[in-house]
Amino acid sequence: MATNRSRRLRKKLCVDEFQELGFELNLAFKEDLSDEAIDAFLDAFLAEAMDANGLDYVGGDDFGLVCLANRGSVSEEQRAAVEAWLKGRNELTKIEVSPLLDAWYPEKPINSAS
């Protein structure tokens, strides 16, 4: 693909100055948790960690991507708030929060302008 793209196309593709950042989560639940306890955790996670910080979660119970609910990038402060919320929960045995990454093209490096 050509690298000399119009501003409109760069925005549509979420590249260059329109790059959007997010982060990945990898979680492991305690083995003895019931399905109801996991559902309650996920409900609290979506309300208290995602909605309260203007974020959205795409994925499954134990792995997914966190991105901004609207167009734009997740800030380092939002990422840290989600990580702190997760570390305060006792339902989990493993919490992995990735550094910020390109939400649309995870293999691409983060632009220094982002």
Side-chain angles (χ1 to χ4, degrees):
M1 240 179 153
T3 57
N4 190 11
R5 299 180 181 124
S6 69
R7 183 178 197 283
R8 181 178 161 274
L9 186 55
R10 290 191 312 270
K11 184 174 182 179
K12 185 175 184 165
L13 294 174
C14 300
V15 297
D16 297 333
E17 70 270 32
F18 300 103
Q19 183 179 50
E20 296 181 352
L21 304 180
F23 60 93
E24 293 178 341
L25 290 180
N26 194 353
L27 309 173
F29 292 96
K30 289 183 177 176
E31 300 243 352
D32 60 346
L33 278 183
S34 66
D35 289 342
E36 294 79 18
I38 292 174
D39 288 344
F41 168 84
L42 292 172
D43 289 343
F45 171 70
L46 293 174
E48 298 169 16
M50 295 294 103
D51 293 343
N53 288 300
L55 302 173
D56 215 352
Y57 179 75
V58 180
D61 294 352
D62 58 351
F63 181 80
L65 176 73
V66 177
C67 53
L68 205 58
N70 298 314
R71 231 178 152 144
S73 292
V74 174
S75 69
E76 187 58 47
E77 291 78 23
Q78 289 168 311
R79 183 194 155 293
V82 170
E83 185 173 19
W85 187 89
L86 289 168
K87 287 182 176 178
R89 302 298 294 210
N90 62 3
E91 297 94 339
L92 302 170
T93 59
K94 179 180 79 168
I95 302 165
E96 291 178 6
V97 181
S98 79
L100 291 177
L101 51 85
D102 187 316
W104 292 95
Y105 309 98
E107 70 284 353
K108 293 196 175 204
I110 294 176
N111 294 336
S112 58
S114 292

